[in-house]
Amino acid sequence: MRSFSYQRATDPDMAVQALGAAAASNNPLTKATAQPLAGGTTLIDLMKLDVMRPAAIVDINPLAHAWSAIEPGGDALRLGALAKMSDVAAHAEIQRSYPVIADSLKLAASAQLRNMATLGGNVMQRTRCNYFRDVSYENCNKRNPGSGCAAMDGVNRMHAVLGTSDQCIATYPGDFAQALIALDATVEITGKAGTRSMPFAQLHKAPGSTPDIETALQPGELISGFSIRGRWPRSVYLKARDRQSYEFALSSAAIALDVQDGTIRDARVALGGVATVPWRAREAEALLREQKFDEALAQRVADAAFADARGRRHNSFKIALGKRVVARALQQAVTMEI
Amino acid sequence: MTAAASEPKANMGQPVPRYDATAKVTGRATYASDMPLDNPAYAFLVTSAIAKGRIDRFDLDDAGRVRGVIDIVTHENAPKLKESKLFSNGGYAGTTIQPLKSAEIAHDGQIIAVVIAESYEAAREAANRIKVSYTAATPSASFDSPGTTTATAKGQNSQFKEDPKVGDFAKAFDAAEVKLTASYDTPTQHHNPMELFTTSCAWMGDNLVIYEGSQFVYGLKNGVAEQLGIDADKVRVVNPYVGGGFGSRGSMTPRTAIIAGIAKRLNRPIKLVPTRDQGFTIATYRAETRHEIKLGASRDGRLVALRHEGAEVSSRPDAYCVGGTKTTTRLYACPNVDSLVSIVRADRNTPGFMRSPPEVPYLFALESALDELAVKLDMDPIELRRINDTTNEPISGKPYTSRSLMACFDEAAKAFGWGQRSPQPKSMSDGDWLIGYGCAATCYPTQMAPSAARVRLQRDGRTRVEIAGHEIGTGAYTVIAQTAAERLGVPLEKVAVFIGDSELPPAPVAGGSNSTASTCSAVMMVCDQIRQRLLKAVMPSDSLADKAKETVGISPAPSTQAAKGDRSLDLEKAFDALGVVVLEEYGEWKPEGAPLDSFRAMHNGQVRLIGGHAMKDQIAYAFGAEFVEVRVNRFTHEIRCPRLVGAFAAGRIMNPRTARSQLMGGLIWGMSSALLEATELDERNARYVNDNLADYLVPVNADVPGVEVIMLSEQDDHINPVGAKGLGELANVGTNAAICNAIYHATGQRIRKLPVRLENIEV
C-alpha cells in the first residue's frame, strides 16, 4: 500500500468533483489517481497488494442516506448503489419478487463482507486472477497493457471460457451482476453533467484488446443506482463452487422465467464464474421462448449458452459444468412454487 | 455435560475448561507480535519473483525516498551470519538455504531484501517501490519437470535409515490369489496457521530477546545463537501463546537471525510481520508425494504381500523426507513386505513438518488401496482390516504396546450407522445428491522426549509450574496444570503454569505429538519429588518406603494412581513439620530407552524423540477409525461432507475437552486436505499461485455441519509415566482415504489424487 490522501464526500457533487478533479481523462478508470471508497472490500484489498495505487481516496459512504434505497414498488425495483448486500438479500419483497437477486447476494462472499459491501462496489469488483493480483508478475495485460498474459498458459482453473480474448482470460468474479444483466437492469450513473442511464449490459467491457478498460464508467463518474422493470418471482440463482460458502463461483446461472399455462413467455439466462464480464446468453434463452419445458430443451439451451466457449488447460471442465448448471437451474426455475 | 466436555470414561482426566480460555476469548492472550517493544523499528520483507537465477541489480532510489525509511538490507550489506545446519543433521534449521548471503536465488519467494522503517506502512510502501533486475534460469518445479534429480532417501537423510522389508515380496505377490496395483498422489500443502510468521528481536547489551511464535523455544534459541555466533545463554525466546503451528514453527527459519542481526546493527528493537503470501515461501510446507502400492491377498482377505513405494519432492540442498513407509509397512499383518522411498530434488524451498508429516500422504495411499482390495474381494472394508489386524508389527515382530484399532472401528461404525450402508456403489441417494459412506483406519506413533520441569509448592497450596513447553492451541497449559493439581492434591485453580519461554526448564519441540506425554511426565516426576519431601516430614519412617514407592518415580500404572491420589496428605501439617513455607523442585525426565546424552541434547535444543516403531522391544501407536458421509451433486458434481465420525484410542486422555477439540480439528483438517487444500504450482516458473487464504481453500463452518468424536477408554502401561499417547496428529490421517473411499461408494469412481474436486467427478 502506498500513501494516499483521504477525503469524505458529503454530497454527490463533492464526490464527483473530487474524483473528476484528480482523474486524468486518458486514464482507464481502474488507473485513475482518485478512487471512490464504499465498502472497501475490493479497493483496500488491491491497494494492499499494490495492484491499485490511487493517490486520493474519496469516501462516498456519507452519500448512503441518498443512495441506499431498496424500493420494490409495484412493477419496478430501484436499488441504491450504496445499499448493503446483506440488507438487499434480507429484504422480504426482494426475496418474493426477485429471488434471483436475493440469492445471488446471499450466496456471495461471507456474512461479514456482505455487511460491508455495497451494490455499486459489488458490480465493480475486479477479477480474482492470481496473476493480476500479484504484481511480481510483469506480464498482465490488465495491469500493464501490452505486457502479455501469465494466466493464458499458467494455472487457470478459475479463469473464463466465454468472452475471452488473446489478451486476457480473467473471470468476472461477481454474482449479483448476473441477476442484473438477466433482468435487463438499468444502471444510473452520476457524473459532472448530472445523471445518465444505460443498460447494465453495457456497463462492463469484454477484454478484447484493451483488458485494462473494464467498464464504460469514466473517471469522475459513480454508479448511483440500479432499476429493474417488472417482477420476476420465477427466478433462481444456482452457484457451483468448491466449498459450501464464502467462495467464488466455478459456474453459476441466473435464470428468470415468465411461464403461463405451461408455456415459457419470456426467459432470461445469465452466466457467472465462466465469463470475463457479466454474461447474458441471449441466443440460448431465445430457444426457450414460447416453448414447453422439457429436459431436451434444457440441454439445447445449455449447449447454446456455451457454443462459443473456449477452455484452456485447467478450466475446460467449466464448459461441461456450466451446461449442467444451466440445465439444472432451468429445471429449478420451472418447477419452483410461486 | 455439553458435547464439548464429554463425561470422562475410565482412564480419562476431567474435562476442565481451558486454563487460557478467558484470556483467549477476551483478546488478552499476548502473541509474539503483541509484545510491547521500546521504540521499535519495523521490517518488511521483499521476496524474489523468480525461483532460480540471480539478482543483477536493485534499484532502491524510489524506495529510499519514502519518508521514514531507515535502512534497506540486501545481500550486499546484510549482517554476516554463520551457516545453519539442518535439524536432522544436528542443527536447528528447517532449510540450509540462507537468504541475503549472495545474489543467487534458490526458490520462489526467497527473502532478497528487508526494509527497515519507522512504521510498518512506510516499510511496506518502500518495499513495494524496490525494483529488482534478475537473470532468471529455468527452474525445475516438481516431479515431471526436466532437470530434477532422484535418489533413494536411504543414504541421504540421516533420519531415514532403512526401507522396511521382510519376507519375499516378489514371490508372494506373484503367487497371490488377488492382486492390486495402484498409484496415488498428494499435493503441496501449506500450514497457514492464523498467526503469521512474525518475529521481534530486541537486544539489551549482548543479550537478545526474541518474541516469535515457535514450537520449540530451546531449538530456536540455540539455532539463532549459532547463526549469530554468540553464546546460547545470551538468547531468550518468549512466546506464551502461539497462534497455531502444525509443524511450521518446529524448526528455525532464516528470518529470525536476519532480523536479530539487523536489530543489533541498528541498536534498536525490530518487529517483522510478513504477509500471508510471504508465509508460503519463507517457512516450510508439505511437499507433494507420489505412491505406488502393491497388495497381494488370499481369497479370504489375508494380506500375503505388500509393497509401498513413495516419492517426495525436496529442495536442491536438503534431503528432507517424511518416509511414511515406516508406518504403512507395519500397520497390518503381512509376511512379505517391501518398500522404497525416493527424494526428488527440485528448485523449491525445503519442505518440512506438517501435521502428521509421514502418515497423511502414506496412509492415504495404503488405506485407499485397502478399500480397493476390499472391493476386489467383495468384502466389507472393516472386515478386511479385522482379518489383517495384528498384535505384532510384521517387520521385526515387536508387539504393539496397546492397539485398539478394531474396537475403534466397531464403536465408530455403530455411531455412524455403517450397518445402513448398501455396499453397492451408486446405490444411495437423496434428491440431487449421491450418497457415499467410507471409512479408513488412522494411526500415529506415540512419541516422547526428555523434558525438565520446575515446580514450587507453597504451604497454602499455591503452585507454580515452570516448563518451556508451548501452547500452540492444543491445551498445554491446561493439561500441565491438571497434572500438577492431581499429583500434589491441590485445587486446580491454585496452579499457575508458565510456559513458552526459553528461560524456563527445557521441554521438547511441540511436534510429533509428544508434548503432553513428555511435559506431563516431567511435571509428574517433579511433583512427586515434592511429595516425597513432604511425606518424609509426616510419615512414620516404617511406612515411608511403601508410600514413596507408590507415589514416586517411574511406576508402571501411574495414571490410575493419580486418579486414586493420596489426598490425605495435610499440606499445612507437612510444611509445618518441615518448618518451611515453600518447596521447590527441579527435575529432568527422560523416556525409557533414551540415550545417555539425552539431557545434554535437551538443553542444547536438539530433539531426541523416542517411540513409534523405533522403540527397542515394542512399538507404540495410537489408533482410530474414521467414517465419513460424502454427498456428490449429480448436476454440479460438487462434493460435500456432511458427517465425519471418528473413534480414537490414545491411552490416557488427559482432558476429554481439549482432546476432543484436537481430534475434531483433526477430522476437519483431514476433510480439508481431501477436498480443498492444495498449493497450486505454476510449473513454468516453480512459483506458488494461490498463496493466500482466499484461494488456498480451507473449510468454512458450512462445510462441516456434523463432526462426532468418540474417545475410547484405553490403558497403556508401557509408554510413559502418564500413560498418554499423542493425539494431536491422529485424527487428520485417515480422513483423506475415508473420503475417497466414500466418493467411490457414492459414484463408483475411484479417485487416487488429492484434493478431489468437482471436475474429477464423472457421474
Side-chain angles (χ1 to χ4, degrees):
Chain A
M1 190 178 276
R2 305 188 176 202
S3 300
F4 58 89
S5 69
Y6 171 86
Q7 181 184 354
R8 276 168 76 82
T10 49
D11 62 59
D13 286 349
M14 191 177 163
V16 164
Q17 213 159 29
L19 290 167
S25 57
N26 59 346
N27 271 341
L29 181 73
T30 50
K31 293 239 173 100
T33 51
Q35 293 287 342
L37 173 73
T41 56
T42 292
L43 177 65
I44 303 299
D45 193 20
L46 290 175
M47 285 170 68
K48 284 183 181 171
L49 295 173
D50 207 31
V51 172
M52 291 184 75
R53 303 166 181 175
I57 293 292
V58 181
D59 185 344
I60 59 169
N61 284 297
L63 312 186
H65 67 277
W67 284 8
S68 50
I70 307 173
E71 291 166 358
D75 210 32
L77 169 65
R78 191 173 184 286
L79 297 169
L82 290 178
K84 299 288 186 187
M85 291 172 73
S86 50
D87 290 335
V88 181
H91 197 284
E93 186 52 32
I94 304 285
Q95 290 173 357
R96 218 172 2 250
S97 299
Y98 307 92
V100 65
I101 290 180
D103 287 352
S104 70
L105 291 167
K106 194 177 68 191
L107 296 175
S110 66
Q112 293 90 335
L113 285 166
R114 294 192 294 270
N115 286 339
M116 285 298 289
T118 64
L119 298 188
N122 179 270
V123 301
M124 294 295 286
Q125 71 180 307
R126 305 190 65 192
T127 184
R128 304 294 304 186
C129 172
N130 289 111
Y131 300 98
F132 166 72
R133 289 167 61 86
D134 184 345
V135 294
S136 73
Y137 283 89
E138 290 289 327
N139 43 342
C140 171
N141 288 324
K142 197 180 266 300
R143 262 191 291 110
N144 303 322
S147 62
C149 172
M152 202 68 76
D153 297 310
V155 176
N156 49 31
R157 176 174 183 263
M158 299 299 289
H159 286 71
V161 295
L162 288 166
T164 58
S165 72
D166 60 1
Q167 300 265 307
C168 184
I169 57 171
T171 306
Y172 173 78
D175 294 296
F176 173 54
Q178 272 66 253
L180 290 176
I181 201 168
L183 302 186
D184 273 337
T186 298
V187 57
E188 180 191 289
I189 295 161
T190 298
K192 233 179 293 182
T195 62
R196 65 180 177 120
S197 291
M198 69 164 83
F200 182 77
Q202 290 172 18
L203 180 66
H204 291 84
K205 300 286 184 195
S209 58
T210 53
D212 56 323
I213 299 173
E214 296 179 354
T215 66
L217 284 191
Q218 295 298 314
E221 288 189 322
L222 285 165
I223 296 175
S224 42
F226 308 93
S227 54
I228 287 162
R229 284 189 303 162
R231 289 173 65 249
W232 291 91
R234 186 176 294 284
S235 63
V236 300
Y237 189 72
L238 179 62
K239 181 174 179 179
R241 46 184 166 170
D242 283 321
R243 65 182 170 194
Q244 185 64 18
S245 178
Y246 192 20
E247 175 57 352
F248 295 95
L250 288 168
S251 171
S252 70
I255 306 284
L257 299 178
D258 177 8
V259 182
Q260 287 167 27
D261 303 326
T263 301
I264 299 167
R265 299 297 177 197
D266 196 358
R268 309 292 176 79
V269 176
L271 310 176
V274 292
T276 53
V277 288
W279 193 263
R280 178 85 173 264
R282 291 181 192 275
E283 286 171 23
E285 68 191 29
L287 300 175
L288 288 160
R289 291 200 186 100
E290 305 306 329
Q291 302 293 313
K292 303 252 188 232
F293 184 81
D294 61 28
E295 269 186 39
L297 177 60
Q299 192 55 55
R300 284 204 304 282
V301 173
D303 288 343
F306 284 88
D308 297 328
R310 280 188 53 208
R312 308 285 308 177
R313 184 169 169 201
H314 303 111
N315 69 352
S316 291
F317 75 94
K318 283 187 173 184
I319 299 172
L321 169 65
K323 290 179 184 179
R324 290 193 309 267
V325 166
V326 167
R328 184 61 186 153
L330 282 169
Q331 175 83 37
Q332 286 179 356
V334 167
T335 55
M336 74 188 288
E337 306 257 335
I338 58 170
Chain B
M1 283 285 171
T2 63
S6 57
E7 196 70 55
K9 300 173 185 164
N11 199 27
M12 293 189 188
Q14 288 301 311
V16 300
R18 281 174 195 269
Y19 179 90
D20 44 347
T22 308
K24 279 188 172 163
V25 298
T26 55
R28 278 192 284 111
T30 42
Y31 292 82
S33 52
D34 299 329
M35 293 296 190
L37 300 172
D38 184 13
N39 187 31
Y42 296 83
F44 196 87
L45 302 177
V46 180
T47 55
S48 68
I50 61 167
K52 187 181 183 185
R54 54 181 292 121
I55 299 161
D56 293 331
R57 207 172 66 83
F58 285 101
D59 177 352
L60 306 177
D61 292 351
D62 199 15
R65 278 194 290 271
V66 173
R67 197 192 309 163
V69 169
I70 299 166
D71 197 6
I72 300 175
V73 180
T74 69
H75 66 273
E76 286 158 355
N77 61 347
K80 295 278 169 274
L81 299 172
K82 297 202 165 31
E83 291 202 354
S84 57
K85 273 187 294 186
L86 212 60
F87 66 89
S88 53
N89 294 333
Y92 305 94
T95 177
T96 61
I97 300 169
Q98 184 61 46
L100 302 185
K101 214 173 87 179
S102 74
E104 298 299 317
I105 303 291
H107 64 85
D108 170 36
Q110 180 178 314
I111 298 169
I112 55 170
V114 185
V115 181
I116 310 293
E118 296 292 343
S119 70
Y120 172 80
E121 291 75 14
R124 187 168 187 169
E125 174 165 0
N128 284 339
R129 290 176 184 272
I130 291 175
K131 295 177 199 76
V132 191
S133 312
Y134 303 96
T135 298
T138 304
S140 307
S142 186
F143 287 121
D144 296 326
S145 311
T148 58
T149 58
T150 303
T152 57
K154 183 184 163 184
Q156 56 173 331
N157 181 310
S158 64
Q159 296 192 330
F160 190 88
K161 295 194 177 76
E162 206 61 54
D163 287 303
K165 49 191 69 174
V166 70
D168 186 341
F169 165 81
K171 198 170 143 200
F173 185 72
D174 274 350
E177 290 171 349
V178 182
K179 291 179 207 179
L180 175 86
T181 301
S183 298
Y184 304 89
D185 287 26
T186 65
T188 315
Q189 294 180 333
H190 278 79
H191 317 74
N192 280 309
M194 287 282 275
E195 185 183 9
L196 296 165
F197 292 106
T198 70
T199 196
S200 293
C201 293
W203 289 86
M204 276 169 287
D206 291 335
N207 290 292
L208 169 66
V209 180
I210 300 167
Y211 300 105
E212 178 177 319
S214 167
Q215 291 172 253
F216 194 21
V217 290
Y218 266 74
L220 186 58
K221 160 194 159 119
N222 281 279
V224 172
E226 187 175 81
Q227 279 207 275
L228 295 172
I230 61 174
D231 194 305
D233 284 347
K234 297 201 176 305
V235 181
R236 177 180 181 189
V237 178
V238 180
N239 62 354
Y241 297 97
V242 182
F246 314 116
S248 65
R249 307 182 202 278
S251 46
M252 178 175 66
T253 70
R255 73 187 193 275
T256 315
I258 291 171
I259 295 299
I262 299 172
K264 178 79 177 170
R265 190 159 76 189
L266 214 61
N267 193 24
R268 199 169 157 185
I270 295 183
K271 178 170 170 173
L272 167 73
V273 180
T275 60
R276 175 63 64 187
D277 65 310
Q278 289 173 342
F280 277 72
T281 60
I282 65 167
T284 62
Y285 62 98
R286 192 197 297 281
E288 56 273 33
T289 67
R290 287 182 171 176
H291 307 262
E292 187 192 71
I293 300 260
K294 285 181 183 290
L295 296 178
S298 60
R299 269 278 153 238
D300 61 5
R302 266 174 307 151
L303 288 172
V304 295
L306 181 155
R307 184 170 197 279
H308 192 162
E309 183 171 348
E312 309 176 21
V313 165
S314 189
S315 65
R316 293 286 182 190
D318 300 325
Y320 180 82
C321 97
V322 299
T325 47
K326 60 190 164 217
T327 293
T328 53
T329 56
R330 293 180 167 93
L331 185 50
Y332 296 108
C334 183
N336 303 291
V337 177
D338 190 24
S339 67
L340 182 68
V341 173
S342 305
I343 302 176
V344 176
R345 307 289 190 99
D347 296 302
R348 299 276 293 280
N349 194 7
T350 305
F353 318 109
M354 183 162 157
R355 202 172 187 178
S356 342
E359 285 72 23
V360 162
Y362 281 76
L363 251 81
F364 165 61
L366 179 66
E367 288 297 297
S368 294
L370 271 179
D371 199 73
E372 295 201 48
L373 182 64
V375 171
K376 278 197 172 212
L377 292 163
D378 195 21
M379 183 179 278
D380 185 287
I382 303 175
E383 293 317 302
L384 179 61
R385 286 165 176 98
R386 197 184 312 280
I387 288 168
N388 292 291
D389 193 23
T390 182
T391 54
N392 294 60
E393 57 93 355
I395 303 298
S396 50
K398 291 187 288 193
Y400 280 95
T401 57
S402 59
R403 176 171 159 125
S404 308
L405 177 63
M406 292 322 298
C408 289
F409 264 108
D410 293 338
E411 285 275 331
K414 198 169 75 185
F416 180 81
W418 184 255
Q420 274 115 62
R421 173 185 188 256
S422 85
Q424 203 54 35
K426 290 178 88 165
S427 61
M428 295 169 69
S429 65
D430 176 14
D432 287 0
W433 298 89
L434 301 171
I435 295 176
Y437 288 0
C439 66
T442 196
C443 69
Y444 193 79
T446 299
Q447 304 186 105
M448 287 75 63
S451 180
R454 186 183 297 115
V455 178
R456 187 172 68 173
L457 175 65
Q458 295 182 205
R459 183 177 175 277
D460 61 7
R462 276 185 293 163
T463 304
R464 181 185 172 97
V465 184
E466 297 182 351
I467 180 167
H470 310 83
E471 179 56 65
I472 55 175
T474 47
Y477 279 109
T478 314
V479 296
I480 288 170
Q482 280 180 280
T483 302
E486 259 178 33
R487 226 43 208 182
L488 294 172
V490 299
L492 186 62
E493 58 273 16
K494 289 205 171 183
V495 182
V497 179
F498 293 82
I499 62 178
D501 185 338
S502 65
E503 298 287 279
L504 301 173
V509 63
S513 294
N514 87 91
S515 273
T516 298
S518 307
T519 59
C520 291
S521 290
V523 169
M524 198 171 113
M525 186 192 83
V526 177
C527 287
D528 287 350
Q529 289 169 203
I530 290 181
R531 279 190 71 83
Q532 192 179 25
R533 286 175 65 183
L534 290 168
L535 282 165
K536 268 189 192 156
V538 291
M539 298 297 284
S541 56
D542 54 341
S543 65
L544 178 61
D546 291 342
K547 204 72 217 170
K549 203 168 156 193
E550 189 186 320
T551 53
V552 177
I554 300 172
S555 43
S559 45
T560 41
Q561 275 178 37
K564 262 192 290 171
D566 179 355
R567 287 166 203 278
S568 61
L569 182 61
D570 183 330
L571 272 192
E572 291 184 3
K573 209 174 113 195
F575 269 101
D576 292 344
L578 273 176
V580 299
V581 287
V582 176
L583 282 179
E584 188 168 293
E585 283 284 332
Y586 169 90
E588 297 183 342
W589 174 85
K590 66 180 166 67
E592 222 180 302
L596 276 178
D597 72 342
S598 291
F599 287 134
R600 217 175 56 219
M602 170 180 82
H603 283 275
N604 291 338
Q606 284 166 340
V607 188
R608 295 276 193 275
L609 286 181
I610 301 280
H613 73 279
M615 296 165 81
K616 199 161 154 268
D617 303 315
Q618 304 177 92
I619 175 168
Y621 273 75
F623 291 93
E626 304 188 349
F627 287 69
V628 303
E629 175 183 330
V630 158
R631 292 183 166 225
V632 179
N633 189 290
R634 305 172 193 275
F635 301 98
T636 64
H637 299 182
E638 288 167 299
I639 309 159
R640 300 290 184 254
C641 183
R643 284 202 301 143
L644 293 152
V645 177
F648 308 95
R652 178 169 173 80
I653 302 297
M654 306 296 284
N655 178 330
R657 183 197 299 265
T658 55
R660 172 181 176 273
S661 176
Q662 289 234 65
L663 293 166
M664 181 169 61
L667 285 167
I668 295 169
W669 176 295
M671 184 281 269
S672 179
S673 166
L675 296 179
L676 298 171
E677 287 186 49
T679 311
E680 307 283 357
L681 187 66
D682 189 326
E683 288 163 17
R684 300 169 301 179
N685 52 29
R687 301 190 66 195
Y688 296 133
V689 178
N690 58 334
D691 53 359
N692 61 78
L693 283 177
D695 297 299
Y696 182 95
L697 298 188
V698 295
V700 296
N701 283 332
D703 291 304
V704 282
V707 186
E708 185 180 349
V709 171
I710 301 160
M711 286 172 274
L712 270 63
S713 183
E714 182 184 73
Q715 183 157 337
D716 191 325
D717 298 333
H718 308 289
I719 40 178
N720 51 59
V722 293
K725 296 177 175 178
L727 53 73
E729 296 168 87
L730 176 59
N732 62 312
V733 173
T735 334
N736 293 287
I739 285 184
C740 286
N741 298 343
I743 290 172
Y744 171 77
H745 181 232
T747 65
Q749 197 184 338
R750 181 64 65 177
I751 297 181
R752 302 183 181 89
K753 186 175 180 188
L754 298 180
V756 189
R757 288 175 165 158
L758 60 77
E759 62 264 37
N760 306 125
I761 303 284
E762 298 153 15
V763 189

